[in-house]
Amino acid sequence: MNKAWKLMRIMVKMQLSMANKSTTEKVGYLLIGLMMIPFGLLVLFFIQGLIGSMYAALEPLGNESVILGLLFVMMTFFYCFISIGTVLSSFYFAEDVESFISLPFEPYQILFGKSAVPFLSLYGLNSILLLPSLIFYGIHSSSGMLYYLFAVLIWALTPIIPFVLTAIILMFIMRFANISKNKDRTKVLVGLMGFIFAIGINVLLRLDAGTGNSDISQMFTQQNALLELITKFFPTAYFSSIALTEIGSWTGLLYFLTFICLSVAAIVLYLTVGQRFYFKGVLGLSGGRRKTFKEEKMQKQLKPQSVFVSLWKKEMRIILRTPTFFTQIVVQSLFFPLFFIVLIIMDPNGPLTGWGSQLNEMEGKKVILSMFGLTVVALGINPASFSSISRDGKSWFNHLYLPIPASNIILSKLLVSFFINFLSLLLLSVAALFVLKVPLMIWLVWFIISLITGWIASMAGLMIDFYSPKLNWTDEREVFKGRFIGIVPLALEATVFGVIILILWTSGLHGIWSTSAVLTGILIILTVLIQYFLTMMVKRKYYNIL
């Protein structure tokens, strides 16, 4: 294991070192860290209030363990979902994968080292959500030092089993899939697993929630009965919850030791499976399929078209054919609206089902501003916008030698970003019109305002990437990972649009038409201003990007 630990330290330094970062990037990280402080305090305040209210309601019934059960189930879901992308990127799609094969290392040692960075990303999420939640639960339950000792150990071990199970499943898929003949296509399909997993888990849990109201009321009177229902598909969440709620008893100690043994067994199984299957999946990546070039067939596909259309198609094909770009841009952008639709369809009697018919009874100003706020959240983070320039990498400089105006190239990238936002709006429109039954006129006003908002969000993201692009990447993941660039446009948009919503909300406007007219006018003015600054930036920086 000594070699494995050394290899892990080397890989962590290679990916997380600040040695080659510019002063601008270091300052950017510092500013982002400072910006996250108030956001983190807001998250802590929300978690504390939520756990406090749930504990006050469930403790008299003896079902306070449900709080921990829900917490561990949620975290297990997050671990599996995040691990799909990080495992595929680090284990198989990184440029340095095959270079390690020729080195004198065993497969399990390379796998151990490769697991470091994906596992650190899980611990980042672990520290933001799970750790403060366990602390707040201990405070509300007036637990002693033994609880906090168990909680820290469980906190450290909780990501292991979800990560191991996800990685083993992916290793089997990559081992037996015919990836040598369909390399890029397989990467895209496997990358979609995260999206399908998130939707599938939601559907599975809702299908299983067919228990009658009378049965649920009986579970509230039986200790741990409700916990067993919630953690039915996640046994480790049940073990962890019992271990922390029955501190000092033999039952709690038994479940705690069982959880530790399962975690150790998972690590052993992970390294054993990796020793046997990891190299076989990696070696399959280097294969390819020879295609016969036929000039007659190629000539039939060649059609004259404008330069602008060609640029737009080129950008879209790069996104759709590059696995990392496809999963990070298309899948991530469409996840929220699709998940929202599935959530409503699978819960036809939920609180959102009759929401559309109630809009006519609400004050018009509140309706349009609330829907506008939803649009800002849905379109705020658009990876297609803040990767517009960086996606080209070192090939960006080819644009400088082509007889194509800079405005055409920038506009084509801008329209690609806007097109992704447009797809999200179409999906949300389907949910609004056919599921929520939103009145047609209200939808039309919202849709027009959302189109303008999507264009502003696209320009804002492009300008930020234009200001500090990442062109010297060797792996497509570097365009998105470690830059935190997606937070910057979201923070700016939340600040600007939040101020606009606050001003209009407290203004003397009341009707939907007057509010919409003022809001549309403000957005048009913002669009003109941002377009002007973008044009000035293109003139100054287009031929001087380093």
Side-chain angles (χ1 to χ4, degrees), residues 4 37 114 127 173 223 234 264 271 295 298 343 361 374 432 453 478 483 524 530:
I37 292 177
K114 282 283 184 183
S127 301
I173 293 175
Q223 188 176 18
F234 304 91
V264 173
L271 297 178
E295 184 177 355
M298 182 63 67
L343 189 68
E361 303 174 3
L374 175 65
T453 306
E478 299 176 25
R483 296 180 70 201
I524 291 175
I530 296 176

Side-chain angles (χ1 to χ4, degrees), residues 303-507:
K303 298 179 180 178
Q305 56 187 2
S306 67
V307 174
F308 180 76
V309 174
S310 299
L311 289 172
W312 184 84
K313 286 185 177 180
K314 185 204 74 169
E315 292 288 334
M316 289 301 302
R317 285 169 179 167
I318 289 175
I319 292 175
L320 296 176
R321 295 177 179 178
T322 306
T324 301
F325 293 159
F326 179 79
T327 54
Q328 291 289 335
I329 295 176
V330 180
V331 174
Q332 182 173 319
S333 299
L334 300 183
F335 173 78
F336 174 77
L338 279 178
F339 188 79
F340 183 68
I341 292 174
V342 172
L343 189 68
I344 298 173
I345 293 177
M346 295 306 300
D347 193 8
N349 297 320
L352 292 176
T353 304
W355 181 69
S357 58
Q358 299 174 3
L359 292 180
N360 287 325
E361 303 174 3
M362 298 173 59
E363 184 180 353
K365 177 177 68 175
K366 295 181 179 180
V367 170
I368 199 63
L369 291 179
S370 299
M371 296 180 71
F372 173 63
L374 175 65
T375 303
V376 174
V377 174
L379 306 182
I381 300 181
N382 183 1
S385 65
F386 59 77
S387 64
S388 300
I389 308 299
S390 300
R391 283 197 305 268
D392 290 333
K394 297 176 182 177
S395 64
W396 162 260
F397 300 101
N398 294 335
H399 295 303
L400 306 182
Y401 307 105
L402 296 175
I404 302 175
S407 58
N408 283 5
I409 294 176
I410 297 301
L411 183 58
S412 67
K413 293 179 176 294
L414 195 56
L415 282 179
V416 167
S417 173
F418 179 74
F419 179 73
I420 300 297
N421 278 338
F422 180 72
L423 293 179
S424 299
L425 289 177
L426 286 181
L427 291 174
L428 289 174
S429 297
V430 171
L433 290 173
F434 301 105
V435 182
L436 297 179
K437 307 297 183 182
V438 174
L440 182 61
M441 292 307 300
I442 294 179
W443 166 82
L444 182 61
V445 172
W446 166 80
F447 190 74
I448 295 174
I449 292 175
S450 298
L451 287 177
I452 303 174
T453 306
W455 185 258
I456 293 175
S458 299
M459 287 194 295
L462 189 147
M463 288 180 68
I464 292 172
D465 191 43
F466 207 166
Y467 180 78
S468 180
K470 179 77 173 180
L471 299 177
N472 58 341
W473 52 264
T474 56
D475 184 353
E476 292 91 350
R477 295 177 300 159
E478 299 176 25
V479 175
F480 307 96
K481 303 296 182 182
R483 296 180 70 201
F484 300 102
I485 193 172
I487 302 176
V488 179
L490 178 61
L492 292 175
E493 292 162 18
T495 302
V496 174
F497 292 137
V499 171
I500 293 174
I501 292 175
L502 180 62
I503 293 174
L504 294 180
W505 195 282
T506 56
S507 67

